[in-house]
Amino acid sequence: MTDLLPTPDPALPEGAIPAATLVIMRPAADCGPDEILMVKRATNMAFAAGAVVFPGGRVDPDDYLVARRHGFADAAEGAARVAALRETLEETGLAVGWPGLGEGELAEVRQALLAGTLLSAILESRGERIALDSLVPFARWCPNFKEARTFDTRFYAVMAPPHGHELTVEEAEHSHIFWSSARETLAMADRGDVSVIFPTRRNLERLAGQHDFSSFAAHAGQFPVELVTPWIEDRDGQSHLCIPGHLGYPVTSEPFDRVRRG
């Protein structure tokens, strides 16, 4: 499997772990801004314990094999898309980009993945492919906070697929799952009802500027996807954590003493 892995990017911090996350959007019942699927991390997790995040996780070696079989020339990009879909199914029970997976089969496939069965083997046995092109890439973050693990995370957005079953968290990693608009989640964070880490807050602010998936996809297409590695900068005698100003984010700095980093 090692021959499928890409050459490490010299621009990344040493030891950065490839990861992917998925912003899943659905129309709100009241015709308000689209709702986004959020999960709350378990309090015993080493990274972002107790924080509200988008579904996702680290890229596994098998994700590169699935991407190659789907014809992705960019191994890292393809594997991240596979990881985003796989992790979402494992964590929430929502099968994004997998139209052939019926409601009656979903729980069995999810449990097989959680038990260690490779996605490549499941797809091969079923003679199916997943829709990697359905994802809209819009960001890539690699915060280099020394007190936390370093993840090189690619962000994607997608419309929620139709489903009739209740979504449930994978309890080893998460404690809660809910749908909420970006604005509502930010308001909850401001009230202290939930905790969000710096990258999640900046991306929620960006999402809050658009009404629905279509408008956000159009917005995302106007900006390049470049690696975001926040830096500390002194502004009027106060340390701020900063990000670039040309990538579509409405807020590009926050006082360092207010930031939750991981």
Side-chain angles (χ1 to χ4, degrees), residues 85-125:
L85 299 183
R86 175 184 54 75
E87 288 279 351
T88 294
L89 177 54
E90 291 177 3
E91 292 180 354
T92 72
L94 187 62
V96 179
W98 197 337
L101 186 59
E103 294 274 320
E105 308 165 297
L106 192 148
E108 181 180 352
V109 170
R110 182 187 187 188
Q111 288 306 313
L113 287 169
L114 290 171
T117 304
L118 297 178
L119 177 60
S120 61
I122 294 173
L123 290 170
E124 186 174 16
S125 68

Side-chain angles (χ1 to χ4, degrees), residues 22-196:
L22 192 57
V23 173
I24 305 163
M25 307 175 72
R26 73 176 188 185
D30 62 359
C31 298
D34 271 9
E35 296 175 330
I36 297 169
L37 187 62
M38 307 294 297
V39 292
K40 183 178 179 181
R41 303 268 292 170
T43 56
N44 62 347
M45 299 300 292
F47 178 77
V52 167
V53 298
F54 310 114
R58 65 178 65 200
V59 178
D60 288 346
D62 185 64
D63 297 329
Y64 293 94
L65 176 58
V66 175
R68 188 179 72 172
R69 288 180 178 175
H70 282 64
F72 251 87
D74 185 331
E77 173 67 19
R81 290 175 182 241
V82 174
L85 299 183
R86 175 184 54 75
E87 288 279 351
T88 294
L89 177 54
E90 291 177 3
E91 292 180 354
T92 72
L94 187 62
V96 179
W98 197 337
L101 186 59
E103 294 274 320
E105 308 165 297
L106 192 148
E108 181 180 352
V109 170
R110 182 187 187 188
Q111 288 306 313
L113 287 169
L114 290 171
T117 304
L118 297 178
L119 177 60
S120 61
I122 294 173
L123 290 170
E124 186 174 16
S125 68
R126 294 173 60 88
E128 293 178 350
R129 296 168 63 86
I130 49 179
L132 301 182
D133 289 335
S134 64
L135 306 188
V136 175
F138 70 91
R140 184 180 177 189
W141 282 65
C142 190
N144 191 19
F145 304 133
K146 302 301 183 183
E147 69 272 29
R149 293 176 179 175
T150 301
F151 289 94
D152 170 20
T153 305
R154 299 176 192 241
F155 288 72
Y156 303 94
V158 70
M159 276 289 293
H163 63 281
H165 63 286
E166 182 182 0
L167 303 184
T168 59
V169 292
E170 198 285 296
E171 294 181 357
E173 293 188 14
H174 302 98
S175 63
H176 187 51
I177 185 170
F178 63 95
W179 291 93
S180 173
S181 73
R183 296 174 191 173
E184 290 171 343
T185 304
L186 287 168
M188 286 190 284
D190 291 341
R191 292 194 303 265
D193 297 338
V194 300
S195 175
V196 294

